[in-house]
Amino acid sequence: MSKEATQKPAMAWWETAVVYQVYIRSFRDGDGDGLGDLAGLRARLPYLASLGIQALWINPWYPSPMADAGYDVADYRDIEPSFGTLAEGEELISEAHALGLKVVLDIVPNHTSSEHAWFKAALQGDSQARARYIFRPGKGDNGELPPNDWESNFGGPAWTRLLDAEGLEGEWYLHLFAPEQPDLDWTNPEVRFEFEDILRFWFDRDVDGFRIDVAHGLSKAEGLPDFGVQPDAPVHSEPHPAWDQDDVHEIYRGWRKVADSYDPPRIFVAEAWVANNERLANYLRPDELHTAFQFDFLRAPWRAKVMREVIDDATDSAAEVGAPSTWVLSNHDVVRHVTRYARSQPPALSESVWVRAQWDKEPADLELGLRRARAAIMLTLALPGTAYLYQGEEFGLAEVEDIPSELRQDPMWWQSGYTDPGRDGCRVPLPWSGDQPPFGFSPEGATKSPWLPQPKSWATRTQEALENDPDSILNLYRAALRLRTELLEGMTPPEWIDSPADVLAFRRGDVECWVNTGDVGIQLPDKRVLLRSDDGVEGGQLPSDAAAWLVDT
Ligand code: NOJ
């Protein structure tokens, strides 16, 4: 065989990248107002590059009234003034590029803010603007009932009724999230045109790609039929007329053409909570999106059997459409995985990533959670495809479960009628240095405290403290990221190795990855330990809740 024939085709960056999620309002505050911003992020770009990641995904940075932490966008072509300016954003993109980091932004196409010029015009009776949203008359004798039975993702009905021009109760508008986030009508060509133009606006500024917010929500079933009464159906497991409709794919075929018209081509990653990996693969067909988060992996309990099933199912279905799998353990919407792994583990895939119901029922063993989190990142980074890290997981941060009610900011807290504490606990500003709040999140002399309170116990979890400890989780992340780039990149699926039931063991290339989710230690094969999650990995033993990467001696 000729040399060329044996050479692997070069992989595109997005097929193998490890992407770091920057939740900007909690990353670093440059100007001392207690809110993260672009100045703070720019100052920490060298730190991010030093981790060994390849790209950043930055949560929405657009002007927003912040009814849902920036996922209520008032203007898609600018930057929220409390974060910085458009010029600073452009600087940031070029500084990141100079450090070898790609930049992925977040686009929010399912809904705008109620403060967006379009919705404001719609409320003033502009019929063209109104047709860009989903207004409907109510049911009942006087239109007093919502047009259908859909519920908002944050709790309560997905419809809000407005007053008409005469000040009388008028039509209802749809919002699958907060009332301040009216859903757009994607059957309207003006909406399509506008978003393709927004993509170009940022691609022209050298943005490398977009994470698509609720990518499975844009198209709704014709006629907006009722879902039906299915009180305990787990989220998105049942076909629902608001989610994952086949028409949505046509939109992404259009977006792909826009992305492919650039040199180098730009990319997309979908946030799509769909029923199964077959449905997810539809978003990854060659003329649609490049990648989509693998949420089954995030929802998997710390159990080898379930994790293995998830890994096989995900890699098989992604391979069928030629796409890389995209692994993720945590993000700004779910309970941090240190805490998820710190309590008893459900038998199968679970909704406990959102349901914070266990909180008062079972204390969290955070030492155990951290041990498992160390092993989990070694599993994640040994898998084929791409991976996303959520800021602070490299510090081993746990969910902050004791934020006082009056300081909570997530609309989920009030829209759920104060039954779901919401997502603030995974959004607490990062601890960088020092031994008391704000732990270097804000500069010396800051005028305001961080927008959510940081636990005092974070003194041992700052970047500064962890940097100086060779065995810290931060240094484990660095080592694992470096070795991954050298030895584990690519799309070859795991070759499973016979192992005890509670153990995941597979080979990729020259490396074997062993992860013990069981209660008892096991004997490892006679090989050289390249990296271990725990200093108990000695004398050929892999203790419970630990991982090791092995190579031939
Ligand atoms: C998903 C985002 O990740 C979440 O934070 C947001 O609340 C909803 N989409 C609505 O935009």
Side-chain angles (χ1 to χ4, degrees), residues 166-181:
E166 281 84 50
L168 301 171
E169 299 269 37
E171 289 196 329
W172 301 69
Y173 70 89
L174 178 70
H175 52 85
L176 292 175
F177 294 88
E180 296 87 349
Q181 293 166 297

Side-chain angles (χ1 to χ4, degrees), residues 23 57 59 68 71-72 106 108 111 154 177 181 211 213-214 271 273 331-333 410 423 427:
Y23 192 66
W57 152 34
N59 286 100
D68 181 22
Y71 282 95
D72 46 323
D106 205 324
V108 189
H111 42 263
F154 294 158
F177 294 88
Q181 293 166 297
R211 176 257 191 196
D213 188 61
V214 283
E271 184 217 22
W273 295 88
N331 64 32
H332 64 293
D333 288 331
D410 187 359
R423 303 160 294 179
R427 299 175 173 182

Side-chain angles (χ1 to χ4, degrees), residues 184-506:
L184 287 162
D185 183 348
W186 275 85
T187 63
N188 183 332
E190 281 181 16
V191 173
R192 293 190 181 217
F193 183 83
E194 171 71 357
F195 273 85
E196 292 190 2
D197 196 57
I198 293 165
L199 293 177
R200 284 193 199 93
F201 178 89
W202 292 104
F203 289 157
D204 288 345
R205 283 164 179 73
D206 287 341
V207 163
D208 299 284
F210 276 99
R211 176 257 191 196
I212 306 172
D213 188 61
V214 283
H216 57 308
L218 279 49
S219 296
K220 278 80 178 171
E222 214 181 318
L224 310 181
D226 281 340
F227 175 45
V229 182
Q230 307 194 25
D232 294 322
V235 189
H236 305 324
S237 67
E238 302 286 326
H240 187 295
W243 303 110
D244 193 25
Q245 299 296 307
D246 290 337
D247 285 351
V248 82
H249 297 288
E250 192 47 41
I251 299 169
Y252 298 132
R253 285 193 270 271
W255 287 23
R256 180 67 179 246
K257 286 193 189 119
V258 176
D260 282 349
S261 71
Y262 283 80
D263 182 20
R266 310 304 204 244
I267 67 102
F268 297 107
V269 56
E271 184 217 22
W273 295 88
V274 295
N276 53 49
N277 281 319
E278 221 173 292
R279 297 293 305 178
L280 192 67
N282 288 341
Y283 292 77
L284 301 175
R285 290 175 286 203
D287 58 348
E288 294 192 41
L289 307 176
H290 303 72
T291 51
F293 295 119
Q294 178 42 247
F295 288 131
D296 284 353
F297 186 64
L298 175 150
R299 293 166 60 220
W302 185 246
R303 290 186 188 276
K305 184 171 170 289
V306 186
M307 287 176 140
R308 179 173 168 168
E309 282 165 9
V310 163
I311 292 167
D312 280 340
D313 192 45
T315 42
D316 288 352
S317 47
E320 269 175 36
V321 282
S325 300
T326 300
W327 312 102
V328 55
L329 289 166
S330 277
N331 64 32
H332 64 293
D333 288 331
V334 301
V335 175
R336 279 192 181 269
H337 60 276
V338 166
T339 302
R340 297 203 313 269
Y341 295 151
R343 292 196 169 98
S344 46
Q345 297 297 291
L349 284 192
S350 95
E351 309 298 314
S352 66
V353 293
W354 301 287
V355 180
R356 286 104 177 149
Q358 281 168 298
W359 286 6
D360 327 336
K361 300 204 175 91
E362 188 187 344
D365 178 349
L366 294 180
E367 217 172 288
L368 175 68
L370 185 57
R371 245 177 97 70
R372 290 176 171 168
R374 292 175 64 111
I377 191 61
M378 287 184 58
L379 168 63
T380 308
L381 295 181
L383 294 172
T386 75
Y388 278 66
L389 311 179
Y390 177 47
Q391 67 178 36
E393 68 171 73
E394 79 276 26
F395 302 163
L397 297 186
E399 185 84 0
V400 182
E401 295 185 315
D402 59 358
I403 298 174
S405 304
E406 67 280 10
L407 297 183
R408 291 201 170 277
Q409 312 261 342
D410 187 359
M412 215 173 225
W413 172 229
W414 44 91
Q415 272 193 241
S416 68
Y418 306 98
T419 56
D420 186 333
R423 303 160 294 179
D424 292 324
C426 65
R427 299 175 173 182
V428 174
L430 291 190
W432 291 100
S433 58
D435 53 14
Q436 50 193 316
F439 297 119
F441 170 70
S442 296
E444 296 270 320
T447 50
K448 285 206 180 140
S449 302
W451 68 281
L452 284 171
Q454 299 161 304
K456 294 216 171 54
S457 62
W458 277 7
T460 56
R461 304 241 67 86
T462 63
Q463 183 220 345
E464 184 181 52
L466 299 170
E467 214 62 91
N468 297 328
D469 169 5
D471 293 326
S472 70
I473 186 166
L474 175 58
N475 284 317
L476 176 71
Y477 267 68
R478 286 187 191 289
L481 285 161
R482 193 183 63 245
L483 289 168
R484 180 184 193 276
T485 317
E486 286 165 20
L487 297 167
L488 285 158
E489 274 189 353
M491 289 224 235
T492 49
E495 287 167 47
W496 295 102
I497 301 168
D498 272 348
S499 62
D502 288 335
V503 172
L504 290 152
F506 59 88

